[in-house]
Amino acid sequence: MLSRRLPSTAVSFSWRRSRLPNLVPTQTVQMVQRSLESLSVCPNKVCMIAFCYSTSPQISADLTDSIPQPPSKQGPLQPGLYLVGTPIGNLEDITLRALRVLKSAHVILSEDTRHSGKLLRHYNIKTPLLSYHKFNETQREQTVLKRLKEGEIVALISDAGMPGISDPGTELAKQCVHENIPVIPIPGPSAFVAALSASGLSTDEFTFVGFLSKHAGSRRERLMVSANEATTQIFYVPPHKLREFLEEASSLFGVTRQCVIAREITKVHEEFWRGTLGEAEEVFSTRTPRGEITVLVERKENSPVETPSESQLEDELRDLISNGHSLSTAVKLVADGTSVRKKTIYSIALRKFGKQLGSESHEDPCKRQLE
């Protein structure tokens, strides 16, 4: 018998009998009932007893049933487009606010209704789903905008993570902004943020590139830009494209550049592989991983600028002049590629090559630009 005295004259027991048979064995229910019957309640005092027993299959439904109602000062959800972040693998990675929005919405726009249906069933959410993906978003746009203008609450989710980040949603959000329809973000998981936080690479500054182009030329141009940036570079790479990506990245970033390959983040087989691009190319040349992959490459370190010697400047000027460039053009090209002042390079050019280029005098246009 458990008795706790409190300064109150009320006696209250909360018994949710309808749920106990689903949560605890029959013997436990009978034991609890006998315990309650044997409790002695003193006058003007309260005897309270609490029991808690749960099993995993029932937790998700209980959680949505117990979602706290909004404070009175907040009121119900306002009409608008809600961009709701959803789990990227582990169904527990969802916020109470996200669950509340999904339960309250008139409709949920979903990238894949079959995939999203698993999430909704897990949390006992009955809101209807409407497919919305890159192949039909143009056709769906006007229908969705009409419903929003009529005052509906529309939630948009992707298969995983935040809508609009390498997923459908950007164009609809743009249209809503243009039409003065509220767009409300409901923050949630993001694969690249999770990967970056655990990568061990610099997080001060980073560039999220996402998926690269399918066209080899465009892909190489983007990688060339990334290779020279002084920020951590983050890419989404399909499993069957990883080998190709590592080959191209190694040739442009250099085989010694550090990288992190994050796979199946938040899932059972989560993996973080760390090493150089050269090592990664070798390891994954015979191994094709499965699942969602995020690749992070360390930033380019700014090495100290070395000032070229006078003889090096002379050699560069000589090569340019021998290839048909005028003295002034040669000076400009050399100056653009070095930290040495253009006036200094021009003086060297006049001293070494002025006589052989008799057509150019001290009144060269380059000199006039310097004055």
Side-chain angles (χ1 to χ4, degrees), residues 37-90:
E37 291 168 358
S38 63
L39 283 173
S40 63
V41 182
C42 302
N44 301 323
K45 304 296 178 183
V46 174
C47 292
M48 302 183 66
I49 184 167
F51 294 89
C52 180
Y53 189 101
S54 65
T55 54
S56 56
Q58 192 70 20
I59 289 176
S60 55
D62 287 347
L63 178 59
T64 53
D65 287 343
S66 63
I67 294 175
Q69 295 300 312
S72 57
K73 64 179 182 180
Q74 181 180 351
L77 296 177
Q78 64 169 313
L81 177 65
Y82 288 77
L83 307 179
V84 183
T86 53
I88 57 177
N90 191 319

Side-chain angles (χ1 to χ4, degrees), residues 351-365:
R351 187 170 68 252
K352 297 293 182 180
F353 308 105
K355 291 182 179 179
Q356 76 179 66
L357 298 174
S359 59
E360 293 199 44
S361 68
H362 289 274
E363 292 300 314
D364 188 276

Side-chain angles (χ1 to χ4, degrees), residues 112-126:
D112 184 338
T113 55
R114 292 170 299 178
H115 180 86
S116 299
K118 298 176 183 178
L119 174 68
L120 300 192
R121 286 192 296 274
H122 186 79
Y123 286 105
N124 196 29
I125 296 173
K126 308 297 185 182

